[in-house]
């Protein structure tokens, strides 16, 4: 999965980057936005690396506290851990991405909106989860990608739903409503679902 994600990044950013250019990019290049360009602040590459490193370390520290608090929150709120992990945490953790996707959608920039939404999901499923498993092996933690049947079926069905919604390349309010309702169905399913645990767990 990590090799597939690396190949996808190389394909998108290096070898076939022209396939991912915006349709309106040529029109926007011809428009005079000199005032906005002058106001934009630039930082050096080393400043970017320093900021990313600092924020990554800080987020990793906060994530440790967050993970430790999930079980207590599950007990006190009377909610399944899977519901908190799959529904509540991603909403809070990706709030900035959700806000930017909504802003771009309101400006009729559907290609950017889909890039934000689908790119984030692809990054989590193809890079973050396998990378966490590899890091867990290095740290001596018994982690694997052996998900339960319910989680695997949910992932498979959501990929199919999104693929069918994107097939025509058009959007309307009904498709948006169907996606929201599908998300609510998945959330409700995780709220009431209980995995059958073996005696070893």
């Amino acid at each position: 999965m990590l090799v597939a994600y690396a190949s996808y990044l190389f394909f998108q950013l290096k070898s076939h980057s022209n396939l991912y250019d915006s349709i309106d990019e040529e029109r926007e290049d011809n428009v005079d936005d000199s005032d906005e360009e002058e106001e934009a602040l630039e930082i050096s590459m080393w400043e970017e690396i320093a900021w990313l490193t600092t924020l990554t370390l800080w987020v990793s520290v906060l994530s440790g506290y967050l993970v430790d608090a999930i079980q207590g929150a599950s007990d006190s709120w009377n909610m399944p851990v899977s519901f908190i992990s799959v529904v509540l945490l991603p909403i809070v953790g990706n709030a900035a991405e959700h806000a930017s996707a909504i802003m771009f959608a309101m400006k009729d920039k559907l290609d950017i909106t889909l890039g934000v939404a689908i790119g984030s999901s692809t990054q989590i499923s193809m890079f973050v989860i396998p990378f966490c498993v590899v890091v867990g092996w290095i740290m001596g933690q018994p982690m694997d990608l052996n998900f339960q049947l319910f989680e695997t079926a949910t992932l498979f069905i959501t990929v199919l739903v999104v693929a069918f919604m994107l097939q025509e390349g058009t959007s309307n309010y009904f498709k948006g409503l169907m996606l929201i309702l599908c998300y609510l169905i998945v959330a409700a399913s995780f709220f009431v679902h209980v995995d059958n645990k073996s005696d070893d767990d």
Side-chain angles (χ1 to χ4, degrees):
M1 290 175 76
L2 292 173
V3 170
Y5 185 73
S7 303
Y8 162 71
L9 286 181
F10 180 78
F11 182 84
Q12 182 182 22
L13 300 175
K14 214 62 170 156
S15 67
H16 290 74
S17 59
N18 58 328
L19 296 177
Y20 295 90
D21 290 341
S22 172
I23 297 172
D24 299 326
E25 193 171 297
E26 293 178 3
R27 294 181 201 158
E28 291 175 3
D29 288 341
N30 295 335
V31 177
D32 245 342
D33 290 337
S34 57
D35 294 338
E36 292 179 8
E37 290 176 4
E38 290 175 6
E39 292 176 7
L41 299 176
E42 293 184 11
I43 60 175
S44 69
M45 182 182 71
W46 293 110
E47 289 174 324
E48 292 172 356
I49 292 172
W51 275 110
L52 283 173
T53 304
T54 304
L55 292 174
T56 301
L57 292 173
W58 183 242
V59 166
S60 66
V61 169
L62 293 178
S63 297
Y65 288 115
L66 183 64
V67 168
D68 292 339
I70 287 178
Q71 187 61 50
S74 172
D75 295 337
S76 62
W77 292 348
N78 231 5
M79 289 183 182
V81 173
S82 60
F83 177 78
I84 295 174
S85 305
V86 174
V87 178
L88 296 184
L89 284 182
I91 289 174
V92 175
N94 295 330
E97 288 181 357
H98 298 325
S100 63
I102 290 170
M103 287 191 317
F104 285 125
M106 290 173 65
K107 295 177 181 177
D108 290 331
K109 305 252 183 200
L110 190 59
D111 52 343
I112 299 175
T113 303
L114 292 174
V116 169
I118 296 173
S120 174
S121 302
T122 304
Q123 185 181 40
I124 295 296
S125 62
M126 296 293 292
F127 174 71
V128 174
I129 293 175
F131 184 72
C132 288
V133 171
V134 172
V135 170
W137 290 345
I138 293 169
M139 296 173 62
Q141 297 293 326
M143 298 178 70
D144 58 29
L145 294 174
N146 184 17
F147 295 109
Q148 300 290 334
L149 178 62
F150 177 74
E151 288 84 357
T152 306
T154 303
L155 177 64
F156 180 73
I157 291 170
T158 53
V159 169
L160 282 181
V161 168
V162 171
F164 282 127
M165 289 292 180
L166 297 176
Q167 192 173 16
E168 295 176 0
T170 60
S171 174
N172 53 49
Y173 77 91
F174 184 70
K175 285 185 177 181
L177 178 63
M178 290 300 105
L179 288 173
I180 291 171
L181 292 177
C182 286
Y183 183 79
L184 292 177
I185 290 169
V186 169
S189 301
F190 273 98
F191 188 78
V192 299
H193 176 74
V194 177
D195 279 328
N196 294 325
K197 296 187 176 181
S198 63
D199 296 334
D200 299 335
D201 291 344

